[in-house]
Amino acid sequence: MEVTCLGADEAWDLFREKVGEVTLESHPDIPALARIVVERCRGSPLAVSVIGVAMAGKSLVQEWRYAVDALTLSAAKFSGMEDEILPVLKFSYDSLKDERVKLCFQYCALFRKGEHIWKDHLVEYWVDEGIIDGKEDRYRAEEECYDIIRYLVRACLLVEHQYGNAVTMPSLVRELALWVASNFGEEKENFIVKPNENLGEVPNVKDWGQVSRMSLSENKIKKISCSPVCPKLRTLLLGSNNLEKISSGFFMCMPNLVVLDLAANIGLRELPDGISRLISLQYLDLSHTDIKQLPLASLKELKRLQHLNLEFTGFLKEISGISSLSNLQVLKLYASFDLDINLVEELQLLKHLKVLTVSGGDAYVWEQLMSNPRLASCTRNMYFYKCEAGETGISIAATSSRLEDLTMHESNIREIKIDQSSPKTMCNFQYLVKVEISECQGLLDLTWLLFAPNLGWLDVNESPQIEEIISKEKAARFMNGEADETMMPFLNLKHLDLAYLDQLSSIYWSPLSFPCLMKISIFGCPNLLRLPLGSSSANGCNLVIHGEEEWIEELQWDEEDTKEQFTLKGRKSEPVAAYPQNQSELEMLRKRVVDLEEENRSIKQRLERIERFLWQQQQLQQARAHQQPTTGMLPPQTVIHQQRQSQRTPPDMPSKLDK
């Protein structure tokens, strides 16, 4: 499973780097013991890294002697195993700080090999299954989950995606997790993990009574008609199949099922009545399905249900009566049922609600939602679509401090207003990581983003009236006349995309520090001739600026030295010779191919999101008019799903884009 193998010197150098010189020098006997530990790793870079991190900070010689004994014992005990590195890696598993972290680690093995696992999905699973207790304080539990992910990344048991929103589990570590979860191979049916294996039906299991977690996602299962007896089953992942029908008997004997994921089964139009038998169910994901109505009579029997995801369910006709699910903590309605005044009234009845995602609705309805401090504080994702606010603008309550994602599309909103009664203390959207504005009329600026200190992704396009991103005049009003050089927005910004903003002339009035910024993409902004970049803006980061070649040539810089610090990449290219004349030309061609692939992927992602939004809205309108969906035409959601099944690419954007 390991592609490369390190030599003795390379392995020792890597181990020293991971464990640290301070630890190695803390006792005269430790270096010799450390050499033995490295030998046990058999040249595996992963094993060397994982064990090195596990031993970092262990300054007692007794700890090192124990490590040598443990690694020797494991190797002898499991010497008949196909891969002898697993017993070595088990030492790092045994070193994890508590049983909850070990369970979280095992959970990551439910996803297919090499898959990018969204961090927020892991957090939801862990909290709603109860591995991390969130009954009293869900926010604290979520923070603890993110801390566990960071801990597993530091331990080299997970690898963080470059944008920080996803992780992967190395193949060998995944084998370790499955091995441990199966009681070291003794109980192989404890974890049934068969994602992306081209299955057409639920696999045969010798002893359903032993199954505690099952992952059958990304297969081709169309119908489920079996009636297994699963007294221990807690997690069932069936997302991204071709499910159309689930028999009532399937859920009859799963009394301890806590997590049920049916997301991205676009042929699934109804749930069986037997779902009412899932008396322990706490998490139900129906996002990206074609479900037409909620069987509330059955769902009301699920007294423990606390997480219901209905995002991107365009066929859903209504959700009146949702307040009967009185224990809900999480309700996700993003790009599904439009917000209306009746829904706002029902939401007010959900006394335990902690997380809410919403979309649609007119300005009056949004004002009613924002005027309720509890609902405003619950709102994580907001999607304005064809919202008419005109001159009055729209308000985002200062109590919306948990807002993470804001999208505005095809709306007429002149101003985004916030409560300015005490801006320095009350308005702090510290969790807001992504803002996307597209095809909006009337907006002149986005100065309110001064109050989003952790914004990571800003995408503004086809909004012709925008003149400034941050207005100095309005910033002064927000800050009681104190708009000065001490204001430092965008300190956590990673991506800035601006496209087809005819009137845009300024992002910010002076150079800013961008310690995290990796990419600026600017196209179709002819009046933007100066960027807020100075000699210290990038602070060592490899900042790449994309734009039309003509625009890049016309950019104005305070100092020529500043220009040299950034990588400038023009879209328009010169004619290319039939064959490269030298090595440098060949390297240039390779770089251009990479750039074009990146731009193409970005365009496809944007097109996918727009198509999905538009199609969902179309289906919603048809459903309200009691019309049947148009036949003979494959909806974009279907096409997108098929594309994802055949060819999956790593996530390039924050996790809130695509659930």
Side-chain angles (χ1 to χ4, degrees):
M1 280 181 274
E2 287 286 276
V3 178
T4 60
C5 195
L6 298 176
D9 291 340
E10 293 175 309
W12 176 245
D13 289 342
L14 178 59
F15 188 80
R16 287 173 58 191
E17 176 188 336
K18 296 296 182 182
V19 79
E21 293 294 336
V22 174
T23 299
L24 290 174
E25 295 172 0
S26 58
H27 190 281
D29 294 345
I30 286 180
L33 294 168
R35 291 277 185 179
I36 299 174
V37 169
V38 173
E39 288 176 8
R40 297 290 185 269
C41 295
R42 293 178 170 82
S44 164
L46 178 62
V48 171
S49 297
V50 168
I51 301 300
V53 171
M55 297 305 296
K58 296 186 183 298
S59 58
L60 297 178
V61 70
Q62 292 88 343
E63 295 174 303
W64 285 87
R65 287 173 181 156
Y66 170 78
V68 170
D69 291 343
L71 291 171
T72 303
L73 179 63
S74 293
K77 184 177 180 181
F78 301 104
S79 59
M81 293 190 59
E82 179 181 349
D83 195 311
E84 295 180 345
I85 299 300
L86 288 186
V88 178
L89 292 178
K90 182 182 178 293
F91 179 80
S92 67
Y93 172 80
D94 292 336
S95 300
L96 294 177
K97 57 185 179 182
D98 59 46
E99 290 302 317
R100 296 179 310 153
V101 175
K102 291 178 179 179
L103 280 175
C104 290
F105 168 72
Q106 293 176 35
Y107 212 100
C108 296
L110 292 174
F111 302 89
R112 67 179 173 88
K113 182 165 60 176
E115 180 179 359
H116 282 74
I117 310 168
W118 297 109
K119 288 182 181 179
D120 52 351
H121 283 187
L122 281 178
V123 169
E124 290 173 349
Y125 288 139
W126 294 347
V127 172
D128 290 306
E129 184 166 325
I131 297 175
I132 305 300
D133 186 8
K135 287 184 172 59
E136 298 299 325
D137 189 340
R138 187 179 185 92
Y139 300 141
R140 184 205 57 79
E142 289 178 351
E143 292 298 329
E144 185 176 355
C145 289
Y146 282 110
D147 187 60
I148 289 173
I149 293 174
R150 288 189 291 269
Y151 174 77
L152 293 174
V153 169
R154 289 194 300 271
C156 299
L157 297 174
L158 293 177
V159 178
E160 191 166 36
H161 186 261
Q162 62 175 321
Y163 297 114
N165 53 350
V167 291
T168 55
M169 178 172 263
S171 298
L172 195 54
V173 175
R174 182 173 180 269
E175 292 297 322
L176 169 68
L178 290 172
W179 179 50
V180 171
S182 65
N183 191 20
F184 312 113
E186 297 295 322
E187 301 173 2
K188 292 187 177 180
E189 291 187 338
N190 183 21
F191 264 45
I192 304 293
V193 182
K194 296 181 177 293
N196 197 34
E197 293 194 8
N198 210 30
L199 299 178
E201 57 185 16
V202 175
N204 292 324
V205 177
K206 290 183 180 179
D207 187 359
W208 280 100
Q210 295 302 313
V211 182
S212 65
R213 291 186 174 89
M214 174 177 276
S215 174
L216 303 177
S217 57
E218 300 180 57
N219 283 294
K220 297 180 179 179
I221 302 172
K222 196 170 185 178
K223 294 183 180 180
I224 298 178
S225 55
C226 57
S227 302
V229 178
C230 311
K232 295 183 179 179
L233 186 63
R234 292 183 58 83
T235 303
L236 179 57
L237 307 183
L238 288 167
S240 298
N241 275 277
N242 298 328
L243 275 175
E244 295 178 356
K245 183 74 174 178
I246 304 175
S247 68
S248 284
F250 181 65
F251 293 127
M252 286 296 182
C253 298
M254 299 180 181
N256 290 302
L257 187 66
V258 178
V259 170
L260 176 59
D261 192 335
L262 296 170
N265 284 289
I266 58 175
L268 188 62
R269 290 176 168 80
E270 61 180 3
L271 294 176
D273 292 336
I275 199 169
S276 64
R277 300 292 294 271
L278 301 178
I279 55 175
S280 299
L281 195 67
Q282 296 184 170
Y283 176 102
L284 177 59
D285 190 346
L286 297 171
S287 62
H288 296 277
T289 64
D290 287 352
I291 189 165
K292 292 184 176 180
Q293 62 181 17
L294 289 179
L296 286 171
S298 297
L299 294 182
K300 279 194 292 187
E301 299 300 315
L302 309 181
K303 304 299 184 183
R304 299 184 181 180
L305 187 65
Q306 61 185 31
H307 185 129
L308 179 59
N309 189 341
L310 298 173
E311 292 188 339
F312 297 100
T313 51
F315 282 93
L316 192 59
K317 295 178 180 179
E318 63 174 355
I319 56 172
S320 58
I322 196 75
S323 58
S324 63
L325 306 177
S326 57
N327 287 317
L328 278 184
Q329 290 189 16
V330 180
L331 178 59
K332 297 188 174 184
L333 303 172
Y334 188 89
S336 60
F337 193 83
D338 273 1
L339 191 69
D340 60 28
I341 195 64
N342 293 326
L343 179 55
V344 173
E345 292 174 355
E346 285 218 49
L347 294 175
Q348 292 175 353
L349 299 176
L350 294 172
K351 301 301 183 184
H352 300 288
L353 197 63
K354 298 290 191 301
V355 178
L356 175 67
T357 72
V358 284
S359 61
D362 58 31
Y364 172 74
V365 174
W366 282 106
E367 293 288 345
Q368 295 305 303
L369 180 74
M370 290 291 102
S371 66
N372 185 300
R374 189 173 63 85
L375 292 182
S377 66
C378 290
T379 305
R380 297 279 182 96
N381 290 16
M382 298 169 62
Y383 171 41
F384 296 91
Y385 176 73
K386 292 189 175 180
C387 181
E388 293 290 330
E391 295 291 330
T392 59
I394 198 161
S395 295
I396 300 178
T399 51
S400 300
S401 57
R402 288 275 171 177
L403 184 64
E404 296 176 354
D405 187 320
L406 173 66
T407 301
M408 298 174 61
H409 182 61
E410 285 190 34
S411 295
N412 181 11
I413 300 175
R414 184 169 179 79
E415 185 176 10
I416 299 174
K417 299 181 295 185
I418 58 175
D419 183 357
Q420 300 179 48
S421 59
S422 181
K424 290 185 178 179
T425 56
M426 293 185 63
C427 296
N428 186 5
F429 304 107
Q430 60 178 318
Y431 291 94
L432 185 62
V433 295
K434 175 184 168 288
V435 172
E436 184 173 1
I437 311 290
S438 62
E439 299 181 51
C440 289
Q441 303 294 322
L443 271 179
L444 299 179
D445 63 83
L446 299 172
T447 308
W448 70 278
L449 292 177
L450 287 170
F451 304 105
N454 294 308
L455 187 69
W457 188 286
L458 177 59
D459 186 344
V460 187
N461 65 84
E462 297 185 63
S463 300
Q465 281 80 42
I466 288 184
E467 299 174 354
E468 303 168 285
I469 300 300
I470 305 292
S471 164
K472 186 174 184 178
E473 178 182 354
K474 189 172 291 185
R477 293 204 304 269
F478 280 171
M479 294 299 191
N480 296 325
E482 298 178 9
D484 55 31
E485 303 304 321
T486 62
M487 297 171 56
M488 295 295 290
F490 306 136
L491 287 175
N492 289 288
L493 194 67
K494 295 180 180 179
H495 280 252
L496 175 62
D497 287 348
L498 305 174
Y500 308 109
L501 307 174
D502 297 340
Q503 301 302 316
L504 181 67
S505 60
S506 172
I507 295 174
Y508 196 79
W509 60 86
S510 63
L512 291 171
S513 176
F514 292 102
C516 300
L517 193 58
M518 295 182 286
K519 175 184 173 183
I520 295 177
S521 178
I522 299 179
F523 292 94
C525 303
N527 293 314
L528 183 63
L529 299 178
R530 187 181 296 273
L531 300 178
L533 299 174
S535 57
S536 60
S537 291
N539 197 24
C541 292
N542 184 23
L543 175 58
V544 181
I545 301 172
H546 294 261
E548 297 104 339
E549 284 194 353
E550 296 85 353
W551 174 79
I552 287 178
E553 290 174 359
E554 294 177 2
L555 266 179
Q556 300 172 10
W557 303 88
D558 291 337
E559 299 175 0
E560 191 63 25
D561 290 346
T562 301
K563 177 181 177 181
E564 301 302 322
Q565 297 182 39
F566 307 106
T567 302
L568 306 178
K569 293 190 176 182
R571 173 74 65 82
K572 184 179 178 181
S573 57
E574 297 298 327
V576 181
Y579 297 97
Q581 302 299 310
N582 51 48
Q583 186 67 25
S584 62
E585 280 193 18
L586 181 61
E587 291 301 318
M588 181 187 71
L589 287 174
R590 286 174 177 164
K591 289 180 180 178
R592 284 176 55 192
V593 168
V594 172
D595 292 342
L596 289 172
E597 288 176 347
E598 181 183 355
E599 295 295 335
N600 187 42
R601 184 167 63 247
S602 178
I603 291 170
K604 284 183 177 179
Q605 288 171 337
R606 181 177 295 174
L607 178 62
E608 176 182 316
R609 295 198 306 273
I610 293 173
E611 283 181 334
R612 186 167 55 203
F613 286 147
L614 293 178
W615 186 77
Q616 291 284 352
Q617 292 297 324
Q618 177 187 359
Q619 298 305 319
L620 188 57
Q621 292 169 4
Q622 288 178 348
R624 286 178 172 175
H626 303 289
Q627 298 175 359
Q628 292 297 319
T630 304
T631 57
M633 218 173 152
L634 211 57
Q637 190 178 4
T638 306
V639 177
I640 292 165
H641 177 67
Q642 291 176 348
Q643 289 173 343
R644 286 179 176 167
Q645 290 290 87
S646 61
Q647 182 179 8
R648 290 177 173 262
T649 56
D652 281 351
M653 296 186 180
S655 56
K656 305 303 174 188
L657 290 181
D658 224 4
K659 291 193 178 179

